[in-house]
């Protein structure tokens, strides 16, 4: 995957971004973002257009930073290619929900999470089939196992895609607006399953303008116009107007056992 994965060998965080910028034509979606993410539940807050989704897409390997910036995954063993990365880093978002138009059942969709593909590209192993059944039950989708995705409600499809992202037991799970469009009962169920995933060892990184809905974030960062501007209110050690770091990004002290540093 080349130089865009390179980082100093001393870096041991799960994920590190150094001087990252991203443009879409004339639009600069991210500006000089330097960030280290370790263990914990991380929240990315900010209005639409702040750069939250672009940041998650970078971490998932969907897009590359502009020349000069680097992103790496030292705590994930420096994945050799994007497919190895996606076995370690799951992703669920409204964008994926809109794009997943492949004719598949609920069970097939969840199973596609093992290959990070749209639709099945190989037969599942016995252990993978058992994992699909486990997730169908956990997300209360068992009665819908054989239903085509096109027949699902918005909330049912969202549950299916979160289950799909969790299928390979990823080390990191990226969630883009996971609560958007969900009724309170569905949001509570998803939050409960995400807490269980975190307790089992999956790192959560959640971008939302609707709060954490009970997941219990350890650390929050606020973005505005592509820049990490401050720790969000309520973060341990954070406050509005916190002093900026050397790159214009601000840092706050994480809660014990977690770390997310904007340097």
């Amino acid at each position: 995957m080349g130089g865009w994965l390179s980082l100093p060998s001393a870096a041991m965080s799960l994920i590190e971004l150094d001087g990252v910028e991203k443009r879409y034509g004339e639009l600069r979606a991210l500006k000089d973002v330097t960030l280290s993410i370790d263990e914990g539940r991380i929240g990315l807050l900010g209005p639409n257009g702040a750069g939250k989704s672009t940041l998650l897409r970078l971490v998932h390997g969907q897009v590359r930073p502009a020349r000069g910036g680097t992103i790496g995954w030292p705590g994930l063993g420096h994945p050799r290619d994007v497919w190895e990365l996606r076995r370690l880093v799951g992703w669920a978002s409204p964008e994926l929900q809109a794009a997943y138009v492949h004719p598949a059942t609920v069970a097939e969709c969840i199973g596609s999470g093992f290959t990070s593909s749209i639709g099945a590209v190989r037969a599942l192993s016995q252990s993978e089939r058992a994992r699909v059944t486990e997730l169908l039950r956990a997300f209360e989708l068992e009665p819908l196992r054989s239903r085509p995705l096109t027949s699902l409600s918005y909330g049912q499809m969202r549950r299916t895609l979160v289950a799909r992202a969790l299928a390979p037991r990823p080390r990191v799970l990226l969630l883009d607006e996971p609560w958007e469009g969900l009724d309170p009962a569905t949001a509570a169920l998803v939050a409960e399953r995400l807490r269980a995933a975190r307790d089992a060892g999956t790192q959560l990184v959640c971008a939302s303008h609707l709060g954490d809905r009970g997941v219990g974030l350890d650390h929050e960062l606020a973005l505005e116009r592509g820049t990490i501007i401050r720790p969000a209110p309520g973060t341990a050690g954070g406050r509005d107007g916190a002093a900026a770091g050397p790159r214009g990004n601000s840092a706050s002290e994480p809660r014990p056992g977690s770390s997310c540093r904007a340097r």
Side-chain angles (χ1 to χ4, degrees), residues 6-44:
S6 61
L7 273 175
S9 59
M12 289 305 296
S13 299
L14 283 175
I15 302 165
E16 293 221 355
L17 297 89
D18 185 18
V20 166
E21 297 201 7
K22 181 62 185 176
R23 290 179 177 270
Y24 298 102
E26 295 299 315
L27 174 65
R28 184 158 60 177
L30 291 176
K31 178 183 178 182
D32 198 18
V33 172
T34 296
L35 177 67
S36 298
I37 297 176
D38 298 326
E39 300 294 339
R41 305 179 186 97
I42 312 303
L44 303 176

PDB file of all heavy atoms in Angstrom, residues 6-44:
ATOM      1  N   SER A   6       3.237   4.642   5.884  1.00  0.00           N
ATOM      2  CA  SER A   6       4.471   4.716   6.654  1.00  0.00           C
ATOM      3  C   SER A   6       4.330   5.596   7.879  1.00  0.00           C
ATOM      4  O   SER A   6       3.666   6.623   7.850  1.00  0.00           O
ATOM      5  CB  SER A   6       5.593   5.259   5.766  1.00  0.00           C
ATOM      6  OG  SER A   6       5.286   6.556   5.315  1.00  0.00           O
ATOM      7  N   LEU A   7       4.971   5.150   8.959  1.00  0.00           N
ATOM      8  CA  LEU A   7       5.037   5.908  10.203  1.00  0.00           C
ATOM      9  C   LEU A   7       6.347   5.558  10.895  1.00  0.00           C
ATOM     10  O   LEU A   7       6.923   4.499  10.639  1.00  0.00           O
ATOM     11  CB  LEU A   7       3.863   5.543  11.133  1.00  0.00           C
ATOM     12  CG  LEU A   7       2.565   6.307  10.954  1.00  0.00           C
ATOM     13  CD1 LEU A   7       1.518   5.725  11.877  1.00  0.00           C
ATOM     14  CD2 LEU A   7       2.721   7.787  11.254  1.00  0.00           C
ATOM     15  N   PRO A   8       6.834   6.401  11.796  1.00  0.00           N
ATOM     16  CA  PRO A   8       8.033   6.044  12.542  1.00  0.00           C
ATOM     17  C   PRO A   8       7.846   4.727  13.281  1.00  0.00           C
ATOM     18  O   PRO A   8       6.779   4.428  13.801  1.00  0.00           O
ATOM     19  CB  PRO A   8       8.193   7.218  13.517  1.00  0.00           C
ATOM     20  CG  PRO A   8       7.493   8.354  12.859  1.00  0.00           C
ATOM     21  CD  PRO A   8       6.349   7.740  12.113  1.00  0.00           C
ATOM     22  N   SER A   9       8.894   3.930  13.358  1.00  0.00           N
ATOM     23  CA  SER A   9       8.786   2.593  13.937  1.00  0.00           C
ATOM     24  C   SER A   9       8.449   2.618  15.417  1.00  0.00           C
ATOM     25  O   SER A   9       7.960   1.649  15.959  1.00  0.00           O
ATOM     26  CB  SER A   9      10.106   1.835  13.730  1.00  0.00           C
ATOM     27  OG  SER A   9      11.169   2.548  14.338  1.00  0.00           O
ATOM     28  N   ALA A  10       8.715   3.774  16.100  1.00  0.00           N
ATOM     29  CA  ALA A  10       8.447   3.845  17.533  1.00  0.00           C
ATOM     30  C   ALA A  10       6.970   3.977  17.843  1.00  0.00           C
ATOM     31  O   ALA A  10       6.553   3.794  18.983  1.00  0.00           O
ATOM     32  CB  ALA A  10       9.207   5.024  18.136  1.00  0.00           C
ATOM     33  N   ALA A  11       6.147   4.324  16.830  1.00  0.00           N
ATOM     34  CA  ALA A  11       4.721   4.535  17.076  1.00  0.00           C
ATOM     35  C   ALA A  11       4.056   3.193  17.366  1.00  0.00           C
ATOM     36  O   ALA A  11       4.185   2.248  16.611  1.00  0.00           O
ATOM     37  CB  ALA A  11       4.076   5.180  15.856  1.00  0.00           C
ATOM     38  N   MET A  12       3.323   3.117  18.501  1.00  0.00           N
ATOM     39  CA  MET A  12       2.697   1.866  18.884  1.00  0.00           C
ATOM     40  C   MET A  12       1.201   2.014  19.119  1.00  0.00           C
ATOM     41  O   MET A  12       0.581   1.128  19.661  1.00  0.00           O
ATOM     42  CB  MET A  12       3.372   1.308  20.139  1.00  0.00           C
ATOM     43  CG  MET A  12       4.781   0.786  19.883  1.00  0.00           C
ATOM     44  SD  MET A  12       4.867  -0.447  18.565  1.00  0.00           S
ATOM     45  CE  MET A  12       3.895  -1.770  19.269  1.00  0.00           C
ATOM     46  N   SER A  13       0.613   3.146  18.751  1.00  0.00           N
ATOM     47  CA  SER A  13      -0.823   3.301  18.862  1.00  0.00           C
ATOM     48  C   SER A  13      -1.514   2.365  17.877  1.00  0.00           C
ATOM     49  O   SER A  13      -0.909   1.891  16.917  1.00  0.00           O
ATOM     50  CB  SER A  13      -1.226   4.744  18.588  1.00  0.00           C
ATOM     51  OG  SER A  13      -0.635   5.616  19.520  1.00  0.00           O
ATOM     52  N   LEU A  14      -2.817   2.116  18.109  1.00  0.00           N
ATOM     53  CA  LEU A  14      -3.564   1.328  17.147  1.00  0.00           C
ATOM     54  C   LEU A  14      -3.545   1.991  15.779  1.00  0.00           C
ATOM     55  O   LEU A  14      -3.297   1.347  14.756  1.00  0.00           O
ATOM     56  CB  LEU A  14      -5.019   1.163  17.623  1.00  0.00           C
ATOM     57  CG  LEU A  14      -5.297   0.153  18.718  1.00  0.00           C
ATOM     58  CD1 LEU A  14      -6.760   0.228  19.132  1.00  0.00           C
ATOM     59  CD2 LEU A  14      -4.939  -1.252  18.282  1.00  0.00           C
ATOM     60  N   ILE A  15      -3.846   3.288  15.764  1.00  0.00           N
ATOM     61  CA  ILE A  15      -3.954   4.038  14.514  1.00  0.00           C
ATOM     62  C   ILE A  15      -3.274   5.387  14.707  1.00  0.00           C
ATOM     63  O   ILE A  15      -3.449   6.023  15.750  1.00  0.00           O
ATOM     64  CB  ILE A  15      -5.430   4.263  14.119  1.00  0.00           C
ATOM     65  CG1 ILE A  15      -6.151   2.916  13.975  1.00  0.00           C
ATOM     66  CG2 ILE A  15      -5.532   5.063  12.824  1.00  0.00           C
ATOM     67  CD1 ILE A  15      -7.658   3.039  13.936  1.00  0.00           C
ATOM     68  N   GLU A  16      -2.508   5.824  13.721  1.00  0.00           N
ATOM     69  CA  GLU A  16      -1.875   7.132  13.801  1.00  0.00           C
ATOM     70  C   GLU A  16      -2.013   7.869  12.473  1.00  0.00           C
ATOM     71  O   GLU A  16      -1.811   7.294  11.406  1.00  0.00           O
ATOM     72  CB  GLU A  16      -0.393   7.004  14.174  1.00  0.00           C
ATOM     73  CG  GLU A  16      -0.168   6.486  15.581  1.00  0.00           C
ATOM     74  CD  GLU A  16       0.969   7.218  16.290  1.00  0.00           C
ATOM     75  OE1 GLU A  16       1.617   8.055  15.647  1.00  0.00           O
ATOM     76  OE2 GLU A  16       1.172   6.940  17.483  1.00  0.00           O
ATOM     77  N   LEU A  17      -2.367   9.141  12.560  1.00  0.00           N
ATOM     78  CA  LEU A  17      -2.406  10.025  11.415  1.00  0.00           C
ATOM     79  C   LEU A  17      -1.436  11.169  11.674  1.00  0.00           C
ATOM     80  O   LEU A  17      -1.404  11.717  12.777  1.00  0.00           O
ATOM     81  CB  LEU A  17      -3.821  10.595  11.186  1.00  0.00           C
ATOM     82  CG  LEU A  17      -4.925   9.596  10.864  1.00  0.00           C
ATOM     83  CD1 LEU A  17      -5.576   9.080  12.139  1.00  0.00           C
ATOM     84  CD2 LEU A  17      -5.978  10.245   9.966  1.00  0.00           C
ATOM     85  N   ASP A  18      -0.664  11.523  10.665  1.00  0.00           N
ATOM     86  CA  ASP A  18       0.340  12.562  10.824  1.00  0.00           C
ATOM     87  C   ASP A  18       0.238  13.543   9.660  1.00  0.00           C
ATOM     88  O   ASP A  18       0.523  13.203   8.514  1.00  0.00           O
ATOM     89  CB  ASP A  18       1.740  11.942  10.863  1.00  0.00           C
ATOM     90  CG  ASP A  18       2.830  12.964  11.146  1.00  0.00           C
ATOM     91  OD1 ASP A  18       2.510  14.061  11.631  1.00  0.00           O
ATOM     92  OD2 ASP A  18       4.001  12.652  10.891  1.00  0.00           O
ATOM     93  N   GLY A  19      -0.200  14.774   9.963  1.00  0.00           N
ATOM     94  CA  GLY A  19      -0.281  15.822   8.961  1.00  0.00           C
ATOM     95  C   GLY A  19      -1.194  15.490   7.801  1.00  0.00           C
ATOM     96  O   GLY A  19      -0.936  15.869   6.649  1.00  0.00           O
ATOM     97  N   VAL A  20      -2.304  14.803   8.090  1.00  0.00           N
ATOM     98  CA  VAL A  20      -3.180  14.307   7.029  1.00  0.00           C
ATOM     99  C   VAL A  20      -4.080  15.414   6.484  1.00  0.00           C
ATOM    100  O   VAL A  20      -4.714  16.157   7.237  1.00  0.00           O
ATOM    101  CB  VAL A  20      -4.036  13.136   7.546  1.00  0.00           C
ATOM    102  CG1 VAL A  20      -5.179  12.831   6.596  1.00  0.00           C
ATOM    103  CG2 VAL A  20      -3.170  11.901   7.739  1.00  0.00           C
ATOM    104  N   GLU A  21      -4.129  15.521   5.174  1.00  0.00           N
ATOM    105  CA  GLU A  21      -5.082  16.374   4.483  1.00  0.00           C
ATOM    106  C   GLU A  21      -5.794  15.533   3.430  1.00  0.00           C
ATOM    107  O   GLU A  21      -5.252  14.562   2.922  1.00  0.00           O
ATOM    108  CB  GLU A  21      -4.388  17.566   3.823  1.00  0.00           C
ATOM    109  CG  GLU A  21      -3.712  18.505   4.806  1.00  0.00           C
ATOM    110  CD  GLU A  21      -3.485  19.894   4.225  1.00  0.00           C
ATOM    111  OE1 GLU A  21      -3.961  20.165   3.106  1.00  0.00           O
ATOM    112  OE2 GLU A  21      -2.835  20.708   4.898  1.00  0.00           O
ATOM    113  N   LYS A  22      -7.034  15.939   3.112  1.00  0.00           N
ATOM    114  CA  LYS A  22      -7.784  15.262   2.062  1.00  0.00           C
ATOM    115  C   LYS A  22      -8.630  16.287   1.321  1.00  0.00           C
ATOM    116  O   LYS A  22      -9.338  17.088   1.947  1.00  0.00           O
ATOM    117  CB  LYS A  22      -8.687  14.165   2.659  1.00  0.00           C
ATOM    118  CG  LYS A  22      -9.489  13.409   1.599  1.00  0.00           C
ATOM    119  CD  LYS A  22      -8.578  12.691   0.626  1.00  0.00           C
ATOM    120  CE  LYS A  22      -9.349  12.024  -0.503  1.00  0.00           C
ATOM    121  NZ  LYS A  22      -8.452  11.404  -1.500  1.00  0.00           N
ATOM    122  N   ARG A  23      -8.523  16.258   0.014  1.00  0.00           N
ATOM    123  CA  ARG A  23      -9.294  17.164  -0.829  1.00  0.00           C
ATOM    124  C   ARG A  23     -10.179  16.377  -1.775  1.00  0.00           C
ATOM    125  O   ARG A  23      -9.819  15.293  -2.230  1.00  0.00           O
ATOM    126  CB  ARG A  23      -8.366  18.051  -1.656  1.00  0.00           C
ATOM    127  CG  ARG A  23      -7.602  19.102  -0.859  1.00  0.00           C
ATOM    128  CD  ARG A  23      -6.702  19.918  -1.770  1.00  0.00           C
ATOM    129  NE  ARG A  23      -5.998  20.973  -1.057  1.00  0.00           N
ATOM    130  CZ  ARG A  23      -6.461  22.209  -0.878  1.00  0.00           C
ATOM    131  NH1 ARG A  23      -7.642  22.540  -1.389  1.00  0.00           N
ATOM    132  NH2 ARG A  23      -5.762  23.107  -0.211  1.00  0.00           N
ATOM    133  N   TYR A  24     -11.323  16.947  -2.066  1.00  0.00           N
ATOM    134  CA  TYR A  24     -12.197  16.474  -3.134  1.00  0.00           C
ATOM    135  C   TYR A  24     -12.336  17.638  -4.101  1.00  0.00           C
ATOM    136  O   TYR A  24     -13.164  18.527  -3.898  1.00  0.00           O
ATOM    137  CB  TYR A  24     -13.557  16.041  -2.595  1.00  0.00           C
ATOM    138  CG  TYR A  24     -13.483  14.882  -1.613  1.00  0.00           C
ATOM    139  CD1 TYR A  24     -13.577  15.100  -0.243  1.00  0.00           C
ATOM    140  CD2 TYR A  24     -13.322  13.581  -2.062  1.00  0.00           C
ATOM    141  CE1 TYR A  24     -13.509  14.046   0.657  1.00  0.00           C
ATOM    142  CE2 TYR A  24     -13.251  12.515  -1.172  1.00  0.00           C
ATOM    143  CZ  TYR A  24     -13.353  12.763   0.188  1.00  0.00           C
ATOM    144  OH  TYR A  24     -13.282  11.720   1.071  1.00  0.00           O
ATOM    145  N   GLY A  25     -11.495  17.661  -5.121  1.00  0.00           N
ATOM    146  CA  GLY A  25     -11.460  18.820  -6.001  1.00  0.00           C
ATOM    147  C   GLY A  25     -10.940  20.034  -5.247  1.00  0.00           C
ATOM    148  O   GLY A  25      -9.873  20.001  -4.634  1.00  0.00           O
ATOM    149  N   GLU A  26     -11.720  21.091  -5.235  1.00  0.00           N
ATOM    150  CA  GLU A  26     -11.328  22.307  -4.526  1.00  0.00           C
ATOM    151  C   GLU A  26     -11.711  22.265  -3.048  1.00  0.00           C
ATOM    152  O   GLU A  26     -11.277  23.116  -2.272  1.00  0.00           O
ATOM    153  CB  GLU A  26     -11.988  23.536  -5.188  1.00  0.00           C
ATOM    154  CG  GLU A  26     -11.521  23.793  -6.606  1.00  0.00           C
ATOM    155  CD  GLU A  26     -10.021  24.064  -6.664  1.00  0.00           C
ATOM    156  OE1 GLU A  26      -9.527  24.846  -5.829  1.00  0.00           O
ATOM    157  OE2 GLU A  26      -9.350  23.481  -7.542  1.00  0.00           O
ATOM    158  N   LEU A  27     -12.514  21.288  -2.661  1.00  0.00           N
ATOM    159  CA  LEU A  27     -12.955  21.190  -1.276  1.00  0.00           C
ATOM    160  C   LEU A  27     -11.902  20.480  -0.437  1.00  0.00           C
ATOM    161  O   LEU A  27     -11.520  19.346  -0.738  1.00  0.00           O
ATOM    162  CB  LEU A  27     -14.279  20.426  -1.195  1.00  0.00           C
ATOM    163  CG  LEU A  27     -14.789  20.115   0.222  1.00  0.00           C
ATOM    164  CD1 LEU A  27     -15.138  21.400   0.961  1.00  0.00           C
ATOM    165  CD2 LEU A  27     -15.997  19.184   0.158  1.00  0.00           C
ATOM    166  N   ARG A  28     -11.432  21.128   0.621  1.00  0.00           N
ATOM    167  CA  ARG A  28     -10.493  20.502   1.546  1.00  0.00           C
ATOM    168  C   ARG A  28     -11.290  19.910   2.701  1.00  0.00           C
ATOM    169  O   ARG A  28     -11.749  20.622   3.588  1.00  0.00           O
ATOM    170  CB  ARG A  28      -9.467  21.517   2.046  1.00  0.00           C
ATOM    171  CG  ARG A  28      -8.414  20.880   2.932  1.00  0.00           C
ATOM    172  CD  ARG A  28      -7.139  21.677   3.003  1.00  0.00           C
ATOM    173  NE  ARG A  28      -7.355  23.010   3.530  1.00  0.00           N
ATOM    174  CZ  ARG A  28      -6.375  23.886   3.744  1.00  0.00           C
ATOM    175  NH1 ARG A  28      -5.124  23.558   3.420  1.00  0.00           N
ATOM    176  NH2 ARG A  28      -6.630  25.079   4.230  1.00  0.00           N
ATOM    177  N   ALA A  29     -11.449  18.579   2.693  1.00  0.00           N
ATOM    178  CA  ALA A  29     -12.281  17.910   3.682  1.00  0.00           C
ATOM    179  C   ALA A  29     -11.567  17.749   5.017  1.00  0.00           C
ATOM    180  O   ALA A  29     -12.207  17.769   6.071  1.00  0.00           O
ATOM    181  CB  ALA A  29     -12.712  16.539   3.160  1.00  0.00           C
ATOM    182  N   LEU A  30     -10.242  17.557   5.003  1.00  0.00           N
ATOM    183  CA  LEU A  30      -9.438  17.462   6.220  1.00  0.00           C
ATOM    184  C   LEU A  30      -8.203  18.336   6.054  1.00  0.00           C
ATOM    185  O   LEU A  30      -7.610  18.388   4.968  1.00  0.00           O
ATOM    186  CB  LEU A  30      -9.011  16.023   6.496  1.00  0.00           C
ATOM    187  CG  LEU A  30     -10.095  15.031   6.915  1.00  0.00           C
ATOM    188  CD1 LEU A  30      -9.501  13.640   7.060  1.00  0.00           C
ATOM    189  CD2 LEU A  30     -10.781  15.454   8.204  1.00  0.00           C
ATOM    190  N   LYS A  31      -7.823  18.985   7.143  1.00  0.00           N
ATOM    191  CA  LYS A  31      -6.701  19.917   7.106  1.00  0.00           C
ATOM    192  C   LYS A  31      -5.695  19.590   8.209  1.00  0.00           C
ATOM    193  O   LYS A  31      -5.982  19.772   9.389  1.00  0.00           O
ATOM    194  CB  LYS A  31      -7.198  21.356   7.264  1.00  0.00           C
ATOM    195  CG  LYS A  31      -6.090  22.404   7.281  1.00  0.00           C
ATOM    196  CD  LYS A  31      -6.656  23.787   7.506  1.00  0.00           C
ATOM    197  CE  LYS A  31      -5.556  24.838   7.568  1.00  0.00           C
ATOM    198  NZ  LYS A  31      -6.105  26.196   7.835  1.00  0.00           N
ATOM    199  N   ASP A  32      -4.527  19.078   7.831  1.00  0.00           N
ATOM    200  CA  ASP A  32      -3.388  18.899   8.731  1.00  0.00           C
ATOM    201  C   ASP A  32      -3.775  18.220  10.038  1.00  0.00           C
ATOM    202  O   ASP A  32      -3.519  18.727  11.125  1.00  0.00           O
ATOM    203  CB  ASP A  32      -2.755  20.266   9.005  1.00  0.00           C
ATOM    204  CG  ASP A  32      -1.333  20.137   9.568  1.00  0.00           C
ATOM    205  OD1 ASP A  32      -0.750  19.049   9.421  1.00  0.00           O
ATOM    206  OD2 ASP A  32      -0.835  21.106  10.150  1.00  0.00           O
ATOM    207  N   VAL A  33      -4.402  17.054   9.943  1.00  0.00           N
ATOM    208  CA  VAL A  33      -4.852  16.312  11.121  1.00  0.00           C
ATOM    209  C   VAL A  33      -3.743  15.380  11.594  1.00  0.00           C
ATOM    210  O   VAL A  33      -3.260  14.536  10.841  1.00  0.00           O
ATOM    211  CB  VAL A  33      -6.127  15.506  10.817  1.00  0.00           C
ATOM    212  CG1 VAL A  33      -6.468  14.578  11.987  1.00  0.00           C
ATOM    213  CG2 VAL A  33      -7.290  16.445  10.530  1.00  0.00           C
ATOM    214  N   THR A  34      -3.326  15.543  12.831  1.00  0.00           N
ATOM    215  CA  THR A  34      -2.369  14.648  13.474  1.00  0.00           C
ATOM    216  C   THR A  34      -3.036  14.060  14.702  1.00  0.00           C
ATOM    217  O   THR A  34      -3.457  14.793  15.591  1.00  0.00           O
ATOM    218  CB  THR A  34      -1.084  15.401  13.867  1.00  0.00           C
ATOM    219  OG1 THR A  34      -0.447  15.859  12.667  1.00  0.00           O
ATOM    220  CG2 THR A  34      -0.136  14.496  14.638  1.00  0.00           C
ATOM    221  N   LEU A  35      -3.154  12.720  14.739  1.00  0.00           N
ATOM    222  CA  LEU A  35      -3.996  12.073  15.729  1.00  0.00           C
ATOM    223  C   LEU A  35      -3.486  10.680  16.030  1.00  0.00           C
ATOM    224  O   LEU A  35      -3.081   9.952  15.131  1.00  0.00           O
ATOM    225  CB  LEU A  35      -5.430  11.994  15.186  1.00  0.00           C
ATOM    226  CG  LEU A  35      -6.500  11.300  16.014  1.00  0.00           C
ATOM    227  CD1 LEU A  35      -6.784  12.084  17.280  1.00  0.00           C
ATOM    228  CD2 LEU A  35      -7.771  11.156  15.197  1.00  0.00           C
ATOM    229  N   SER A  36      -3.475  10.320  17.316  1.00  0.00           N
ATOM    230  CA  SER A  36      -3.148   8.960  17.738  1.00  0.00           C
ATOM    231  C   SER A  36      -4.355   8.373  18.454  1.00  0.00           C
ATOM    232  O   SER A  36      -4.935   9.022  19.321  1.00  0.00           O
ATOM    233  CB  SER A  36      -1.941   8.956  18.687  1.00  0.00           C
ATOM    234  OG  SER A  36      -0.795   9.469  18.048  1.00  0.00           O
ATOM    235  N   ILE A  37      -4.722   7.152  18.104  1.00  0.00           N
ATOM    236  CA  ILE A  37      -5.856   6.472  18.729  1.00  0.00           C
ATOM    237  C   ILE A  37      -5.366   5.177  19.344  1.00  0.00           C
ATOM    238  O   ILE A  37      -4.771   4.340  18.657  1.00  0.00           O
ATOM    239  CB  ILE A  37      -6.977   6.193  17.714  1.00  0.00           C
ATOM    240  CG1 ILE A  37      -7.537   7.499  17.156  1.00  0.00           C
ATOM    241  CG2 ILE A  37      -8.091   5.372  18.364  1.00  0.00           C
ATOM    242  CD1 ILE A  37      -8.580   7.305  16.080  1.00  0.00           C
ATOM    243  N   ASP A  38      -5.608   5.010  20.640  1.00  0.00           N
ATOM    244  CA  ASP A  38      -5.255   3.784  21.339  1.00  0.00           C
ATOM    245  C   ASP A  38      -6.534   3.076  21.766  1.00  0.00           C
ATOM    246  O   ASP A  38      -7.521   3.060  21.034  1.00  0.00           O
ATOM    247  CB  ASP A  38      -4.350   4.097  22.521  1.00  0.00           C
ATOM    248  CG  ASP A  38      -3.034   4.727  22.076  1.00  0.00           C
ATOM    249  OD1 ASP A  38      -2.538   4.378  20.994  1.00  0.00           O
ATOM    250  OD2 ASP A  38      -2.517   5.568  22.819  1.00  0.00           O
ATOM    251  N   GLU A  39      -6.559   2.507  22.949  1.00  0.00           N
ATOM    252  CA  GLU A  39      -7.712   1.751  23.412  1.00  0.00           C
ATOM    253  C   GLU A  39      -8.806   2.685  23.915  1.00  0.00           C
ATOM    254  O   GLU A  39      -8.554   3.798  24.358  1.00  0.00           O
ATOM    255  CB  GLU A  39      -7.308   0.800  24.534  1.00  0.00           C
ATOM    256  CG  GLU A  39      -6.256  -0.226  24.127  1.00  0.00           C
ATOM    257  CD  GLU A  39      -6.765  -1.215  23.100  1.00  0.00           C
ATOM    258  OE1 GLU A  39      -7.994  -1.381  22.996  1.00  0.00           O
ATOM    259  OE2 GLU A  39      -5.937  -1.826  22.410  1.00  0.00           O
ATOM    260  N   GLY A  40     -10.050   2.201  23.883  1.00  0.00           N
ATOM    261  CA  GLY A  40     -11.174   2.966  24.410  1.00  0.00           C
ATOM    262  C   GLY A  40     -12.277   3.128  23.383  1.00  0.00           C
ATOM    263  O   GLY A  40     -12.212   2.619  22.278  1.00  0.00           O
ATOM    264  N   ARG A  41     -13.285   3.881  23.765  1.00  0.00           N
ATOM    265  CA  ARG A  41     -14.393   4.207  22.866  1.00  0.00           C
ATOM    266  C   ARG A  41     -14.236   5.672  22.482  1.00  0.00           C
ATOM    267  O   ARG A  41     -14.303   6.555  23.329  1.00  0.00           O
ATOM    268  CB  ARG A  41     -15.737   3.975  23.552  1.00  0.00           C
ATOM    269  CG  ARG A  41     -15.930   2.577  24.129  1.00  0.00           C
ATOM    270  CD  ARG A  41     -17.289   2.474  24.806  1.00  0.00           C
ATOM    271  NE  ARG A  41     -17.463   1.213  25.499  1.00  0.00           N
ATOM    272  CZ  ARG A  41     -17.255   1.046  26.800  1.00  0.00           C
ATOM    273  NH1 ARG A  41     -16.866   2.056  27.544  1.00  0.00           N
ATOM    274  NH2 ARG A  41     -17.443  -0.120  27.356  1.00  0.00           N
ATOM    275  N   ILE A  42     -14.057   5.943  21.198  1.00  0.00           N
ATOM    276  CA  ILE A  42     -13.732   7.277  20.724  1.00  0.00           C
ATOM    277  C   ILE A  42     -14.929   7.863  19.985  1.00  0.00           C
ATOM    278  O   ILE A  42     -15.509   7.211  19.114  1.00  0.00           O
ATOM    279  CB  ILE A  42     -12.520   7.260  19.786  1.00  0.00           C
ATOM    280  CG1 ILE A  42     -11.380   6.441  20.404  1.00  0.00           C
ATOM    281  CG2 ILE A  42     -12.069   8.677  19.451  1.00  0.00           C
ATOM    282  CD1 ILE A  42     -10.918   6.914  21.758  1.00  0.00           C
ATOM    283  N   GLY A  43     -15.289   9.102  20.315  1.00  0.00           N
ATOM    284  CA  GLY A  43     -16.368   9.790  19.627  1.00  0.00           C
ATOM    285  C   GLY A  43     -15.834  10.942  18.795  1.00  0.00           C
ATOM    286  O   GLY A  43     -15.006  11.723  19.263  1.00  0.00           O
ATOM    287  N   LEU A  44     -16.285  11.039  17.546  1.00  0.00           N
ATOM    288  CA  LEU A  44     -15.962  12.168  16.686  1.00  0.00           C
ATOM    289  C   LEU A  44     -17.234  12.984  16.519  1.00  0.00           C
ATOM    290  O   LEU A  44     -18.228  12.483  15.980  1.00  0.00           O
ATOM    291  CB  LEU A  44     -15.466  11.692  15.318  1.00  0.00           C
ATOM    292  CG  LEU A  44     -14.243  10.768  15.311  1.00  0.00           C
ATOM    293  CD1 LEU A  44     -13.948  10.312  13.887  1.00  0.00           C
ATOM    294  CD2 LEU A  44     -13.039  11.479  15.896  1.00  0.00           C
TER     295      LEU A  44
END
